[in-house]
Amino acid sequence: MNKTININLANLFFHIDEEAYSKLQRYLEAIKRSFANTSGSDEIIADIEARIAELFHEKMENERQVITQKEVDEVIGIMGQPEDYMVDEDIFEDQPKSAQKASKVKKLFRDIDNKYIGGVSSGLGHYFGIDALWVRLLWILLTIFSWGGFIFIYALLWILIPEAVTTAQKLDMRGETVNISNIEKKVKEGFDDVAEKVKNVDYEKVGNRVKSGSKSFFNTIADIIMFVFKVIGKFIGIILIITGAAGIVSLFIGLFTVGILDIIHIPGIEYYYLVNSTNTPVWLASLLAFFAIAIPFFFLLYLGLKILVNNLKSIGNIAKFSLLGLWLISIILLSVFGIRQAAAHAYSGNVTVEKVLSFQKPDQLIKINLKSSNWEENGNNIGINGIILDYTENGEEVLVFDDLRLYIKKSKDSLAHIEIRKSANGSSFKNATETADKVNYSYIIKDNTLLLDDFLTTAKENKYRDQEVRINLAIPMGTKVQFENFPKRCWMLRTNNNQDMDGCEITNYLWTMSKNGELLCQDCPESESSSKKDSGKGKIIINEDGVDISIKDGEDSFKMKIGKQGVQINTNENKERNVTADTVQ
């Protein structure tokens, strides 16, 4: 059982056992003697004690841990023996300069002595060997062209890169060699904490100053392999940093842009409100999306910095778990909003209105005309299935749709009928039906002309719910019909006809409703109006005069004509039989 002593070393409290304390005390007294006649010895001793305290603190797993002789020996191995500090710099005056300096790798720190804001630019300048002025100019340009996005990157580097406080850290930042000559030089120049550079004094031990320049073949191969892996690792780190930084800056610009558009009410932002079923503010949705995507990019950036910067300061477990929690909350809320958004279109409902059309002269030609509108010219087209946002004469905001279809069918009686079916989606069947009922569509009859709107409308608060209108127009058999003013909306016309024409071709001719519900063309050209089959042995002609059938097979022939005069049949025996309409009936 060892006795434990409590000590205060450089304002840090430690528990140390008695044997370790005795060895540490002898070590510190030896160091004091080695610097007894050196100017600034008090500052050097204070910095050495501070460095020893830092090393002890790094080796402790918890505050209750006791410092043993093992930890003291490890610290002494790092700091060096007292005799290393007793060597005067004059001893090395005759040594070649290459023997006095050891190659050191620069470490990334923030230079707080030459800072304007956080010392990030100065630290990067030291690390890359360029003037800090150029780094600051680059920050300014990147910030301007990224709409301020690189301010966020600067803040991250400010948090993650440690500042060079001690003399050893400042020497590491500049890549200067730590040796006895530099120690005395810095002390004479007035650096108060110059002795901190002795933390790496084991690199400069006198016995190791002249090293053998020869290495074994296998050690050289191993060094080359390790160098290649380090280069690959650094390259991966650079890729991760670029990816993470680019992602964060892009998301920052996107968030900033969406916020500005929402504040000044740019028309395009209305698209979000028209499709948003959850009524989530655009700023909240943008913020959640930013956190959900930017946090993974941040950890990519952090991982890249970890690979490139050996002494990168950890953001701490609290920050890590806070970011993880924020990311999970954002993902969960976005998932909830997405589910609610999808649920708003889960059901489809429709409302049907059927009326009888009263034409002044139903036995004469009926014209079907589309009323031309100026919604497209006056509206704000927001590019979602042809929807237009506009205002009524009363100043009310309405959504204008062009999802309209017109079907021509045969009436079941002698009257013309119109059936208007309005449909929409909703979160329930009831909600969908109510939304469909709020769709507005109108038509008028003027003389023998049916004027149909080529659009449908609904109030803006009803939002976009796949609203559409289907019109079924039923006309009696034998009714002549003609389509006018369909140049822009001819695709909406659907009907069966004896010419297999599409909606746009149908509008060019006059038609009659047949018994089987098919439109018969009345003025189509012969090549188009006739259903003709002629193989050299016969022909069949169907037009407005009736049906004319002629068949010839060798010496035998057969002709039949059906028209207003009845049915006429003629064979090669020159026998003709007339069948009147009364006879057919």
Side-chain angles (χ1 to χ4, degrees), residues 179-356:
N179 52 39
I180 302 301
S181 298
N182 284 341
I183 292 174
E184 294 183 356
K185 179 181 177 181
K186 296 301 181 184
V187 170
K188 292 176 182 178
E189 290 176 356
F191 283 86
D192 294 334
D193 54 355
V194 69
E196 280 295 334
K197 60 183 173 294
V198 299
K199 69 174 185 177
N200 292 321
V201 74
D202 55 313
Y203 295 144
E204 317 301 331
K205 288 184 179 181
V206 176
N208 294 329
R209 281 193 171 273
V210 180
K211 296 182 179 180
S212 173
S214 61
K215 289 185 178 181
S216 67
F217 173 77
F218 294 104
N219 287 339
T220 303
I221 295 297
D223 290 343
I224 294 174
I225 294 175
M226 289 302 299
F227 175 76
V228 171
F229 277 111
K230 287 181 180 179
V231 171
I232 294 175
K234 298 296 183 182
F235 179 76
I236 294 175
I238 293 172
I239 295 298
L240 292 178
I241 290 174
I242 293 175
T243 303
I248 292 173
V249 171
S250 299
L251 290 169
F252 183 83
I253 294 174
L255 177 64
F256 181 79
T257 303
V258 171
I260 289 296
L261 293 179
D262 188 38
I263 291 174
I264 62 179
H265 300 292
I266 296 296
I269 204 66
E270 295 292 341
Y271 169 82
Y272 170 80
Y273 292 106
L274 296 181
V275 300
N276 178 25
S277 304
T278 61
N279 294 320
T280 306
V282 63
W283 64 266
L284 179 58
S286 301
L287 194 62
L288 292 175
F290 176 80
F291 287 137
I293 304 175
I295 290 176
F297 276 114
F298 166 76
F299 280 105
L300 285 178
L301 174 63
Y302 181 71
L303 179 60
L305 289 173
K306 272 285 190 182
I307 294 174
L308 290 180
V309 184
N310 296 328
N311 61 320
L312 186 70
K313 185 168 61 175
S314 174
I315 62 175
N317 291 331
I318 295 177
K320 291 178 183 177
F321 286 111
S322 299
L323 289 174
L324 178 61
L326 183 60
W327 180 77
L328 289 175
I329 292 173
S330 301
I331 291 294
I332 292 172
L333 290 178
L334 287 175
S335 300
V336 171
F337 295 154
I339 292 173
R340 291 182 59 186
Q341 179 68 27
H345 296 263
Y347 294 87
S348 179
N350 60 78
V351 175
T352 303
V353 178
E354 184 176 359
K355 292 184 179 181
V356 176

